[in-house]
Amino acid sequence: MDVSHIPDKSSTRNKKLSVQKMSECILKALTPHFNVLSEITFGKHEDMFLDPYMAEISSLILQRKIKISLGIFTRISEKSVQALGRCLQNINRLSVDEQLLLPQAVIILREYVEKLAIPQELTINRKTVATWLNEWKIHAGHPQDKVLQILQLLLGKIKTLIIADVMTYEIMEGLIPHLNVLDEVEFGENGNNINLDQYMGRITQCILEREEEISLVIRTKIDIPSLRHISPTFKKLRSLTIDEKYLPASTRAHLREDVYRLVPIGHVLKVNGLDSAIWVQKWFIYDWKPEDIIYRSLMWLACSAQTKAVAILTNLTDQIMETLTPLVTGVLHEIQFGNPETGADINLDRNMVSLSQWIRNRQRMIDIKLFTGLSAIGIHCLGKCLPRISELSIYEELLSPLCRSLLCEFVYKLSEPQQQALKINGISASIWSRPLEVLRTHSIKRAVHILSKKPNEKFFPAEKAKILFLMKKISDPIMEALAPHISTLAYINLGANTALDRYMDKISTLILRRKTKIDLAISYKINRTSAMWLGRCLPKVNNLIIYDHTMSPECYGVLSKYVLQLAKPEDLMINRINGILWTKKRSGKGNQPSGVLWTNVWDEYGDKTSQEFVQKLKHHSLTDMKSVLSIMDTYGK
């Protein structure tokens, strides 16, 4: 067999290898590489007959001096799992497609993992050993005659049971004793219909017989009678998570009514991550098909008396806008546009003029959340209604430099009390709107001049700045000028910085010396060493924005390890979700990464609706705000 495609082991660049086929010849060619590789994966979620070679692979891993990342995405036998278990001490990150393994094989792997001397140094499927050992997932591919036996064997050893894509009588019989001891039970995955309705009565009866509270997760379709079964269990639930996008509007409306009426006074119930009293006041509009489902959702929204917040996760249509009109002008306390997980465009720009007018006509303040892109005209409309907004959350990574400058200009026009009262992304507007901007078009001399502490300069004094956008490639003079600011900045955006790897150790050290936490954004690809330095300073980071799709699996693994080592990883926000969820939420190749959609903002002006508008803007610099605003007034009416 031709093995010429296997890279030369002397190459310093070949640290990762993916093997899709296996034979004696290929294994012989791979042998010298096991000493230098940092990561190797076998298979592509299909059978590649790895069993005859697994003992030799285990032996090669054991001979290594440093640990390796191993991925196995193919079927392997129980004997092969035993070979894998013997080399776990030399693996720092293990990825296994458990759906391809027999339950008996996973049980064997668990036994080897439990025997590890230092389990903290291993992650399995991006989870810590403790988390992985406490979970068990049942798939449709598992032999049904073995399910009851396996569940009996695991009784008292797991805290979370996930029934992913199948629900049968045998599984129900095995589940009943577990419902007395589990901390969390989850049904369904990605909206797959597992016919949960016929078992819901028995499940809720077991929950009611518990002494302690339990977390219930439902990610499958259920009907209204099943919800009626859940309602009496509210007093026994610590949290209830229901993926609403799989439920029709009528079912969601009934659930809200039940939570509103039946949650016992004084009982704290979390529903989809929110306090139940807050959740019942919030209504989500999803991208449903056919459109008549959206119509029924809007009908309920228009008739609901307790709805105080609306989240629109689909394209804004005339029908949705018509329903929103009386709500935005009157009863709503909060409105959200766009999905925080994707930042996808929902066609908000063409409706911003109307929305701005409605908000300006309000008697009370409102909270606005914008998780979608806006053009310069949209930002102009938003700026006009800032006096009626109490808190604004906006995806800063989707803002072009022009749009950010426009929004800052509207903040400057507010009175001092209004600037202090308005919160933008969790901080006072007066602080948010005072960034230092070092553009890539600036010379090094100009960049150092901007960063220098010159209190007598006409521009905003650098020493008072709390926000820094550093889009120019870092050099030694810039790093020297930047160093004093890292101790005082509240937020630093390092932009598409191609020299970041060279200075990441210095930046990390300076962040660690801070007395308070900082918000940090990085949009350029970093190497493994930089990921390590970034991980070391995470105890001093409050919010981290990092572009997932630029991270290699190795860097992701390194950073995830440091996240999970934090005292309270759930307190760290990464791409607007907590650190624990981020380590579980790695997007696969070809999927839309969470939180990051626009990396080349410097080549965009943010508006493509009018060629004349764009051409006029190109004649004005970002600092010539009077000219820009006059253009805004012309095209934004």
Side-chain angles (χ1 to χ4, degrees), residues 129-142:
V129 165
T131 302
W132 184 78
L133 286 174
N134 280 329
E135 289 185 0
W136 185 265
K137 183 181 286 189
I138 299 175
H139 290 285
H142 292 171

Side-chain angles (χ1 to χ4, degrees), residues 9 64 80 90 110 176 199 219 234 266 321 330 334 395 428 459 515 553 563 567 630:
K9 68 175 181 177
R64 286 175 56 93
S80 295
N90 254 16
R110 290 172 63 91
I176 289 175
Y199 304 100
R219 304 190 190 281
F234 287 156
M321 289 294 292
E334 176 189 306
Y395 254 176
S428 169
F459 60 84
K515 295 181 180 180
V563 170
S630 66

Side-chain angles (χ1 to χ4, degrees), residues 242-260:
I242 294 187
D243 213 330
E244 295 185 68
K245 63 176 173 284
Y246 303 125
L247 303 181
S250 57
T251 305
R252 296 168 62 217
H254 278 285
L255 179 60
R256 273 169 172 73
E257 291 294 334
D258 288 345
V259 171
Y260 183 72

Side-chain angles (χ1 to χ4, degrees), residues 32-62:
H33 288 272
F34 271 90
N35 292 325
V36 295
L37 289 172
S38 62
E39 180 180 324
I40 185 168
T41 60
F42 297 94
K44 197 175 181 180
H45 303 283
E46 56 189 25
D47 202 345
M48 62 173 288
F49 306 105
L50 190 61
D51 288 327
Y53 315 99
M54 198 61 209
E56 180 65 21
I57 292 171
S58 175
S59 177
L60 291 169
I61 292 175
L62 280 171

Side-chain angles (χ1 to χ4, degrees), residues 376-377 380 402 405-406 409-410 413 605 612-636:
I377 292 179
H380 183 251
L402 173 63
S405 297
L406 281 171
E409 188 68 20
F410 278 104
K413 292 181 179 180
Y605 276 86
E612 182 184 1
F613 173 72
V614 172
Q615 292 301 320
K616 286 194 174 187
L617 285 181
K618 288 184 178 180
H619 292 293
H620 299 280
S621 68
L622 295 181
T623 56
D624 187 11
M625 295 307 303
K626 290 184 179 179
S627 300
V628 173
L629 285 173
S630 66
I631 300 173
M632 294 290 101
D633 285 326
T634 301
Y635 289 89

Side-chain angles (χ1 to χ4, degrees), residues 324-332 354-355 357-364 366:
L324 285 178
T325 304
L327 299 175
V328 175
T329 55
V331 299
L332 287 184
S354 299
L355 284 169
Q357 185 63 44
W358 297 343
I359 293 172
R360 293 202 301 271
N361 291 338
R362 287 176 58 90
Q363 298 297 319
R364 293 180 293 181
I366 189 172

Side-chain angles (χ1 to χ4, degrees), residues 512-572:
L512 277 172
R513 292 175 183 171
R514 288 174 56 93
K515 295 181 180 180
T516 58
K517 292 187 176 183
I518 190 173
D519 292 348
L520 183 64
I522 298 174
S523 61
Y524 194 76
K525 184 177 181 180
I526 57 176
N527 61 24
R528 185 182 185 278
T529 304
S530 293
M532 179 193 70
W533 281 109
L534 176 59
R536 289 182 179 181
C537 70
L538 287 181
K540 290 293 185 179
V541 177
N542 190 41
N543 292 284
L544 175 64
I545 298 293
I546 188 160
Y547 285 42
D548 285 353
H549 65 299
T550 66
M551 292 185 68
S552 65
E554 182 182 22
C555 290
Y556 176 83
V558 170
L559 191 56
S560 295
K561 177 182 175 181
Y562 280 99
V563 170
L564 295 173
Q565 288 176 353
L566 293 172
K568 291 185 177 180
E570 63 275 10
D571 289 346
L572 171 65

